Amino acid sequence: MKKFVTVLLCALQAAFMYALPDLLSLNTDFKDLNVLRRQTRSADGNIGCIHMESVKGELQYVSDGSTEVCGLYLIGQPNEVVVVAFLEFNVNCETGGVLATLDGWELQGDLFPSENDHTLSLAERYHMYCGETRPKKIFISSQNVALIQFRLPNPGEGFKVFVNFKKNPQPCNAVAMFDMGTLTMKNYGLRRNCTTSIIYPEQIHMLNVDVGVTSETKPIEAETGLKETCMNYAGGDYIEVLNGNGLDPRSMAIKGTLCGMDSNSDAPEKFVLGCQHSVVRMVSSGIFHNTVTFQYSPPKEEEINATDMC
């Protein structure tokens, strides 16, 4: 399987206060991004300013005096959550040090999951610490990604964490680790939105769709086929396929909207997405038990036309 490839996280800067402030934000241009393979940690667990990790273990950062804002991006399998135990914390407020935890990912002020797709408010998801204000001993994310942001301008300061991953009994939002695979999204009969983020250009094949059809009172329904008009008295249950060059689906172009039931099609609905970021998003009113299974893989060059490019 191909190594996980993610967006390049490079030059960082931030302006913040020690009360609940704006996010420490990555300031880089998505249009200039080149994909990089996941960084490796040293044998003793030391990491650099920007690090991506998907393997459990101990991680440590010791400042070399850089004033940049740094990020430890954590990712598990789509059906997992991230568990972070803080073992050491040496961040001095008086020297300008700060560390923040985010339930999700952030880049250039864009959030994943977006504020529309998360059950918690931003104030509940994002917390900053320094000095005697220390992180909780254990931090658990709501989905398979989490972020530790930090700025430590005083040499020798730092932190140590133990990162682990555990099963999510009802996975909803997720970032896919690889550029090909098959995933299933469910709402479990709940009123919530679920988003799968794939940070690659992709072609999406809808293998099994049951959205806005099956309810708790009518668990068995005849297949209706797929349609693009999906509003109902509850506001609508539907699948959106989007792409763009940012992290937040709200800033992306909608390539298609679907609802209905179809699992037997010989020619499943297909979408070609040529931007850096591909998204499948399921919106649920809570009236129906929605599920969608889709296959994704890199598009062939000849399949991407001018209208698919970003």
Side-chain angles (χ1 to χ4, degrees), residues 32 88 97 102 159 202 238 256:
D32 294 334
E88 296 179 10
L102 175 65
F159 62 93
E202 296 290 342
Y238 55 90

Side-chain angles (χ1 to χ4, degrees), residues 64-202:
D64 60 2
S66 170
T67 60
E68 289 185 335
V69 176
C70 301
L72 170 55
Y73 286 74
L74 304 169
I75 180 169
Q77 296 296 328
N79 63 342
E80 294 179 330
V81 295
V82 184
V83 181
V84 180
F86 278 87
L87 306 178
E88 296 179 10
F89 181 79
N90 178 22
V91 178
N92 190 340
C93 303
E94 296 179 359
T95 57
V98 65
L99 179 145
T101 58
L102 175 65
D103 186 359
W105 276 1
E106 182 275 340
L107 181 64
Q108 287 187 301
D110 279 357
L111 295 175
F112 181 87
S114 75
E115 293 180 78
N116 290 347
D117 296 343
H118 206 288
T119 56
L120 301 177
S121 68
L122 180 57
E124 295 172 301
R125 296 170 60 187
Y126 186 77
H127 301 279
M128 299 187 76
Y129 308 95
C130 66
E132 296 302 314
T133 305
R134 305 170 66 88
K136 293 180 180 179
K137 180 69 175 177
I138 303 291
F139 164 55
I140 303 176
S141 69
S142 302
Q143 62 290 307
N144 74 322
V145 292
L147 172 62
I148 299 175
Q149 290 177 313
F150 47 97
R151 189 177 75 180
L152 301 172
N154 194 37
E157 292 185 5
F159 62 93
K160 182 185 291 186
V161 294
F162 186 85
V163 177
N164 202 353
F165 305 92
K166 70 175 186 178
K167 293 295 182 184
N168 185 347
Q170 292 188 350
C172 180
N173 296 300
V175 176
M177 258 196 212
F178 305 101
D179 65 353
M180 62 176 62
T182 302
L183 286 173
T184 297
M185 300 167 61
K186 298 180 180 181
N187 74 331
Y188 300 93
L190 302 175
R191 181 183 178 88
R192 63 176 183 175
N193 303 333
C194 299
T195 298
T196 296
S197 168
I198 312 165
I199 309 179
Y200 301 93
E202 296 290 342

Side-chain angles (χ1 to χ4, degrees), residues 8-20:
L8 170 61
L9 307 172
C10 49
L12 301 166
Q13 71 179 49
F16 58 89
M17 302 177 295
Y18 290 122
L20 205 73

Side-chain angles (χ1 to χ4, degrees), residues 248-267:
D248 191 333
R250 294 177 298 181
S251 64
M252 295 182 180
I254 299 175
K255 304 297 288 186
T257 302
L258 296 173
C259 58
M261 182 187 290
D262 187 0
S263 63
N264 299 316
S265 176
D266 294 329

